[in-house]
Amino acid sequence: MDIIHACASILSQLADLTTQIEEKDFIKPSESLSQSTIGQHLRHTLEFFICFESGYQQGVVNYDRRAHDKLIESDKYIALAAINRINDFVNSLKEKDLKLEVGYDLAKEEFLTIRTTATRELVYNIEHAVHHMAIMKIGIREVAPYILLAKDFGVAASTIRYKEAASVTH
């Protein structure tokens, strides 16, 4: 499976979740998630892709400059539209050199610029999405247990391979 297909699979799982979840549960605070919502975690995940898309066009990616779009986190249909747009972007992606701005100084907004590539940023976004999907899964079990998730929802490919290899040897 190539990286574009891996990303498409993750976006498809996110779309499936978003389609299944009832609107009231999309915005329901989860005690397991420190009162955050499935919508907030989905928005956070999608905004990294959105920052990547914007940075891809400009040549400079900065994940700290997210919009924190309340509409994506509160309206599942807007979230679905964002997923579809991201999928279109990923499917049209061509390799190119980029710059990544990162800032870790809490006292001021100062960024370090490092070299990166479109492929490297796509890999980062996939890993970031899987991580947040694992967190979302915890909240889904609490606020929307009726949702049927793919068995590999929020599970890293390396973990799936490890478990499959371990089951063969036992």
Side-chain angles (χ1 to χ4, degrees):
M1 175 181 280
D2 72 22
I3 193 168
I4 301 295
H5 287 104
C7 190
S9 175
I10 287 166
L11 292 170
S12 175
Q13 288 181 12
L14 290 172
D16 187 48
L17 156 66
T18 308
T19 300
Q20 287 186 61
I21 196 167
E22 294 179 18
E23 287 184 72
K24 66 180 178 56
D25 296 330
F26 189 67
I27 59 171
K28 183 177 182 179
S30 165
E31 186 150 331
S32 301
L33 303 180
S34 302
Q35 299 305 312
S36 63
T37 68
I38 302 304
Q40 287 171 322
H41 277 274
L42 180 62
R43 186 255 318 140
H44 174 82
T45 303
L46 298 179
E47 283 192 333
F48 270 62
F49 280 103
I50 292 166
C51 286
F52 172 36
E53 178 182 15
S54 174
Y56 179 85
Q57 306 304 331
Q58 300 167 4
V60 180
V61 179
N62 185 321
Y63 297 110
D64 291 342
R65 293 194 170 133
R66 298 185 307 281
H68 298 86
D69 189 332
K70 299 292 185 201
L71 291 175
I72 292 175
E73 73 181 45
S74 63
D75 186 322
K76 71 179 219 164
Y77 298 102
I78 291 175
L80 275 170
I83 292 168
N84 290 332
R85 194 182 88 238
I86 291 163
N87 197 43
D88 289 344
F89 161 66
V90 169
N91 281 308
S92 70
L93 200 59
K94 304 284 187 247
E95 181 60 283
K96 76 179 203 178
D97 291 336
L98 298 169
K99 292 178 182 169
L100 174 66
E101 290 182 338
V102 295
Y104 298 107
D105 189 332
L106 300 180
K108 57 185 179 266
E109 193 171 308
E110 192 172 283
F111 298 105
L112 171 69
T113 302
I114 60 174
R115 289 182 293 171
T116 188
T117 66
T119 300
R120 177 64 190 102
E121 293 312 306
L122 183 58
V123 168
Y124 173 71
N125 273 269
I126 290 169
E127 297 298 324
H128 179 258
V130 170
H131 167 74
H132 276 277
M133 290 165 73
I135 295 169
M136 281 186 260
K137 189 184 326 186
I138 295 166
I140 289 163
R141 289 179 177 149
E142 177 189 332
V143 301
Y146 55 86
I147 292 179
L148 299 173
L149 297 173
K151 69 178 173 75
D152 59 346
F153 187 96
V155 181
S158 61
T159 302
I160 295 167
R161 286 191 304 272
Y162 173 79
K163 287 181 177 182
E164 288 174 356
S167 70
V168 171
T169 61
H170 289 99

